[in-house]
Amino acid sequence: AANVRDIHKYYDLGSVVVKALRGVSIEFPKGDFVAIMGSSGSGKSTLLNLLGALDRPTYGQYILGGYDVSQLTDDHLSDIRNRLIGFIFQSYNLIAQYTVLENIEVPLHYRPGHKPISSRDTNRCIDLAQQVGLADRLDHRPYQLSGGQQQRVAIARALVNDPEIILADEPTGNLDSKTEVEIMDILRGLNRQGRTIIMVTHETSVARVAHRQVYMKDGLMAGEGLFPG
Amino acid sequence: AANVRDIHKYYDLGSVVVKALRGVSIEFPKGDFVAIMGSSGSGKSTLLNLLGALDRPTYGQYILGGYDVSQLTDDHLSDIRNRLIGFIFQSYNLIAQYTVLENIEVPLHYRPGHKPISSRDTNRCIDLAQQVGLADRLDHRPYQLSGGQQQRVAIARALVNDPEIILADEPTGNLDSKTEVEIMDILRGLNRQGRTIIMVTHETSVARVAHRQVYMKDGLMAGEGLFPG
Ligand SMILES: Nc1ncnc2c1ncn2[C@@H]1O[C@H](COP(=O)(O)OP(=O)(O)OP(=O)(O)O)[C@@H](O)[C@H]1O
Ligand SMILES: Nc1ncnc2c1ncn2[C@@H]1O[C@H](COP(=O)(O)OP(=O)(O)OP(=O)(O)O)[C@@H](O)[C@H]1O
Ligand SMILES: [Mg+2]
Ligand SMILES: [Mg+2]
């Protein structure tokens, strides 16, 4: 489903260049379920943003759904991304002025052909809100939600377009263990349907749900299995 | 140090009233080190915001440093808060336009008497940045930091005024276990100096560092010890 070859990502800050990724190569076959671990600052979110085609590498190649991403126009890339990928951001990126329901509906506005939102779509969003335990918070705005509730809106939103690939950046960081189990059950179910799930996490309990674990260190893939050892 | 008596916090949303706290009573003696656990949405951040005097209860009494908070003017309360309390927010609340160093310095601008920031102050901020592993990120702005790095800026900022009471809302949610241990060592050291630490956390590894644990459920104190059972 996704294939990263010798990826580098550098941030040029003038007096210093931060090398966030320094030559990462990794393959994600269709239906993969992998946990990416590693120290704070090791490059996990940077890698996930590149996998989500939200950013382009400084050097290296990214093959997504068979396409070499660097050969695509921004529009074409945008189209593929909206069709294929659901992204759960580390800092949620909710829209402050939108309600919970409106936030979950956001990806529906970007469908190919710009189909308007039907009542069937809205029911699907309500159902997703229910699955993450937010059925009674549909009209709340983000500032009226707890941290873990905001995180759950971000999770529901990532699933609304029925994505083939789910990229999750610390999806349970603000959730108690019982709620975490419910979220992992949802992801496990989606993986059993054949979807590819690539999850960044610091939590061993979450990493163990994946089929394999890899970990990063200083912008490089450093090993397989749980981190730390 | 702090004493909460039958605290209620209601949010009136017109068609519905959300009862975030429904009668919480708890005492925090000076030098206490307590972890507050509980489900997502159970009222932990709401309680912490009240303890931080960032919000006022709908009903009930809050005694802070000997003062009944409801009897104080906003200015007097502000003054006490800046002198006594360091707050680590669940969503960090960093200032996007400020660098790491400037963000850590923010509480120094609010000291009684509005003392200007001395070079000794700046060295203290640099030292705190070093303690949380951000010595090489002083000139970065928040969007140029990883999630865990942003969290660590929030931690350093909470400590800069040498507070007697530290309120920490999920202080390690975005940190790998090694970095988490380093942060908990800092907090443990501060508690040994006699400071009061009240920490909201979902992580058992973090809760165990505290001297006692309590947990909340549906806006009430529900029990003592680790959550879930
Ligand atoms: N401004 C508000 N208006 C309406 N409801 C609110 C508001 N702020 C919080 N709430 C509600 O109050 C309840 C408690 O919120 P709080 O943030 O204290 O939970 P929490 O225990 O910190 O949860 P988490 O572990 O997810 O951070 C939640 O159900 C939330 O939806
Ligand atoms: N826009 C930017 N400009 C400069 N440096 C950046 C920028 N974005 C990220 N970095 C740096 O790149 C490195 C990797 O960041 P990244 O967000 O990928 O880390 P991470 O592994 O996700 O960490 P965490 O576990 O704390 O979320 C960090 O050291 C960070 O400071
Ligand atoms: Mg990250
Ligand atoms: Mg909270």
Side-chain angles (χ1 to χ4, degrees), chain B residues 83-104:
Chain B
R83 241 185 329 106
L84 280 183
I85 297 174
F87 207 118
I88 303 166
F89 294 92
Q90 188 168 9
S91 54
Y92 320 150
N93 296 359
L94 302 183
I95 298 179
Q97 298 81 1
Y98 286 11
T99 63
V100 165
L101 184 59
E102 289 165 342
N103 264 291
I104 295 174

Side-chain angles (χ1 to χ4, degrees), chain B residues 64-65 67 72 75-85:
Chain B
L64 170 66
Y67 293 96
L72 300 174
D75 280 354
H76 193 182
L77 185 57
S78 221
D79 204 62
I80 289 171
R81 187 174 60 237
N82 292 324
R83 241 185 329 106
L84 280 183
I85 297 174

Side-chain angles (χ1 to χ4, degrees), chain B residues 2-10 19-28 34-37 41-51 57-63 198 200 212 214-223:
Chain B
N3 198 339
V4 169
R5 292 175 193 161
D6 195 36
I7 282 277
H8 295 249
K9 181 69 184 178
Y10 302 158
K19 296 191 174 182
L21 296 177
R22 303 194 287 127
V24 172
S25 298
I26 180 168
E27 209 168 320
F28 302 99
V34 58
I36 301 175
M37 308 183 81
S42 58
K44 307 177 298 295
S45 296
T46 304
L47 175 62
L48 217 65
N49 287 339
L50 289 178
L51 290 171
T58 310
Y59 304 113
Q61 209 182 21
Y62 178 33
I63 314 290
I198 303 166
V200 169
R212 62 179 180 126
V214 296
Y215 57 89
M216 298 184 64
K217 193 165 153 57
D218 294 330
L220 293 166
M221 272 299 160

Side-chain angles (χ1 to χ4, degrees), chain A:
Chain A
N3 197 339
V4 170
R5 292 175 193 163
D6 195 35
I7 283 277
H8 295 250
K9 182 69 183 178
Y10 303 157
Y11 294 107
D12 187 344
L13 300 183
S15 57
V16 69
V17 175
V18 175
K19 296 191 174 181
L21 298 176
R22 302 193 288 127
V24 173
S25 299
I26 180 167
E27 209 169 319
F28 304 97
K30 212 172 185 305
D32 202 4
F33 195 171
V34 57
I36 302 176
M37 310 182 80
S39 310
S40 174
S42 58
K44 306 178 298 296
S45 296
T46 303
L47 176 61
L48 218 65
N49 287 339
L50 289 179
L51 291 171
L54 295 163
D55 203 3
R56 290 181 189 269
T58 310
Y59 303 113
Q61 208 181 22
Y62 177 34
I63 313 290
L64 171 66
Y67 294 96
D68 177 345
V69 155
S70 61
Q71 302 306 313
L72 301 174
T73 61
D74 280 352
D75 280 354
H76 194 180
L77 186 57
S78 223
D79 206 61
I80 290 172
R81 186 174 63 235
N82 293 324
R83 242 184 330 105
L84 280 185
I85 298 174
F87 206 119
I88 304 165
F89 294 91
Q90 188 168 9
S91 54
Y92 320 151
N93 295 358
L94 301 183
I95 298 179
Q97 298 81 1
Y98 285 12
T99 63
V100 165
L101 185 59
E102 290 165 342
N103 264 290
I104 295 174
E105 289 174 338
V106 163
L108 298 176
H109 295 292
Y110 296 100
R111 283 179 298 196
H114 296 288
K115 293 192 277 167
I117 294 181
S118 68
S119 56
R120 187 148 161 256
D121 288 326
T122 299
N123 286 333
R124 171 167 173 73
C125 293
I126 293 172
D127 180 70
L128 279 166
Q130 189 142 33
Q131 282 187 53
V132 298
L134 293 177
D136 60 352
R137 290 282 181 274
L138 294 177
D139 298 327
H140 278 53
R141 291 191 166 72
Y143 75 92
Q144 294 169 323
L145 299 174
S146 77
Q149 289 167 342
Q150 293 175 19
Q151 186 153 41
R152 286 181 267 156
V153 178
I155 292 166
R157 179 185 63 190
L159 306 181
V160 76
N161 262 340
D162 228 4
E164 271 188 47
I165 301 171
I166 295 163
L167 303 177
D169 201 342
E170 312 272 1
T172 64
N174 273 305
L175 301 177
D176 58 280
S177 14
K178 177 159 170 289
T179 312
E180 178 177 285
V181 165
E182 293 167 9
I183 296 302
M184 295 320 298
D185 283 347
I186 293 173
L187 293 184
R188 208 191 326 235
L190 291 167
N191 180 244
R192 285 204 192 108
Q193 291 172 5
R195 294 161 214 275
T196 308
I197 303 190
I198 304 166
M199 221 170 32
V200 169
T201 184
H202 287 304
E203 318 244 10
T204 315
S205 52
V206 170
R208 287 210 161 104
V209 177
H211 295 168
R212 63 179 179 126
Q213 301 86 20
V214 296
Y215 58 89
M216 297 183 63
K217 193 165 153 57
D218 294 331
L220 293 167
M221 273 299 160
E224 298 188 358
L226 293 170
F227 172 88

